[in-house]
């Protein structure tokens, strides 16, 4: 499904928008600025002269009067109950044996186990294959003599949108990847590959 990248007035991403939501922002004059050629075109009703109304949306739009969105966008993104974002952050690599696995063979491992008051946050979890997770058990990596091959970190806002996005358009990919920090594991990864779709247009 084609989605529009919604930014706050400062250029920070705040949400993936449906085409209908993006068109509504455009139609009500709430778009402060945009990037890219229109990818959504909505045809509305006709006026007395027989002219049909048309509302377009670019792939990236900044919403005016979005102070609340700007404040919220600086918080770390939620980890979530599903492991998909975690596995994509760690590039499907087991943090202990270093092998790459499919989603069905990976688990979420807590560096400080939850049974020992370890918290379920980005900086305390890594992707681990089922064998390594079972071997480590309720121990720390040091206690299990299983050193971490990569350290966990909380993705920034731009990484989170790359991890959570689907069918990201070229303009959106370019905007998000340009803001990635140097330490990001997404730099040069398949998540940021050149295989992103072009700026196809949705017309309704």
């Amino acid at each position: 499904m084609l989605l529009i990248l919604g930014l706050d007035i400062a250029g920070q991403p705040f949400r993936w928008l449906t085409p209908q939501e993006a068109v509504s922002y455009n139609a009500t004059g709430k778009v402060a600025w945009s990037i890219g050629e229109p990818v959504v075109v909505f045809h509305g009703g006709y006026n007395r002269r027989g002219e049909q109304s048309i509302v377009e949306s670019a792939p990236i739009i900044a919403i005016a009067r979005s102070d609340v969105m700007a404040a919220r966008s600086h918080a770390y993104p939620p980890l979530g109950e599903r492991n998909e974002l975690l596995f994509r952050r760690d590039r499907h690599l087991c943090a202990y044996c270093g092998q790459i696995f499919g989603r069905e063979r990976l688990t979420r491992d807590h560096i400080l186990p939850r049974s020992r008051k370890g918290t379920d946050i980005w900086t305390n979890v890594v992707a681990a294959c089922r064998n390594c997770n079972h071997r480590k058990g309720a121990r720390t990596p040091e206690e299990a003599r299983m050193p971490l091959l990569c350290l966990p970190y909380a993705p920034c806002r731009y990484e989170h949108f790359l991890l959570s996005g689907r069918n990201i358009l070229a303009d959106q990919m370019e905007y998000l990847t340009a803001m990635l920090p140097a330490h990001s594991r997404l730099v040069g990864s398949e998540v940021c590959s050149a295989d992103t779709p072009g700026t196809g247009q949705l017309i309704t």
Side-chain angles (χ1 to χ4, degrees):
M1 177 182 178
L2 185 151
L3 294 175
I4 304 301
L5 179 60
L7 311 177
D8 63 30
I9 198 66
Q12 292 275 333
F14 76 90
R15 190 157 63 87
W16 287 109
L17 304 170
T18 65
Q20 292 80 3
E21 291 172 325
V23 165
S24 176
Y25 280 125
N26 279 275
T28 54
K30 293 182 179 179
V31 175
W33 47 272
S34 62
I35 298 175
E37 296 298 321
V39 293
V40 174
V41 180
F42 270 58
H43 297 281
Y46 292 85
N47 60 21
R48 293 180 179 179
R49 291 177 293 184
E51 299 170 335
Q52 187 178 26
S53 63
I54 296 177
V55 182
E56 301 176 332
S57 180
I60 304 171
I61 59 175
I63 312 304
R65 298 181 295 278
S66 54
D67 294 340
V68 174
M69 299 171 189
R72 186 176 60 195
S73 70
H74 294 290
Y76 286 123
L79 178 60
E81 295 182 1
R82 300 180 63 185
N83 292 319
E84 184 176 354
L85 298 185
L86 170 64
F87 295 163
R88 296 187 80 190
R89 181 201 71 176
D90 291 354
R91 301 174 70 168
H92 288 81
L93 187 81
C94 174
Y96 298 106
C97 69
Q99 296 185 59
I100 296 176
F101 294 91
R103 191 183 189 286
E104 69 283 353
R105 297 185 61 188
L106 284 174
T107 63
R108 178 187 303 193
D109 178 67
H110 294 79
I111 298 171
L112 178 63
R114 300 190 72 176
S115 61
R116 297 167 63 176
K117 299 184 178 180
T119 51
D120 197 30
I121 58 175
W122 282 107
T123 52
N124 189 50
V125 294
V126 292
C129 69
R130 296 186 181 280
N131 287 340
C132 286
N133 199 340
H134 179 74
R135 176 185 163 199
K136 176 176 171 285
R139 297 177 293 178
T140 66
E142 293 77 13
E143 292 169 345
R145 296 185 179 181
M146 298 171 63
L148 286 167
L149 300 180
C150 52
L151 295 176
Y153 69 96
C156 69
R157 205 59 191 167
Y158 299 97
E159 289 173 294
H160 181 256
F161 274 76
L162 284 168
L163 292 171
S164 61
R166 289 292 182 273
N167 301 319
I168 301 177
L169 300 176
D171 288 335
Q172 298 166 343
M173 180 67 70
E174 182 179 356
Y175 183 86
L176 293 171
T177 54
M179 303 296 181
L180 291 178
H183 70 267
S184 172
R185 290 188 198 132
L186 301 188
V187 175
S189 73
E190 70 281 355
V191 176
C192 301
S193 70
D195 296 331
T196 52
T199 53
Q201 190 176 72
L202 174 66
I203 300 176
T204 63

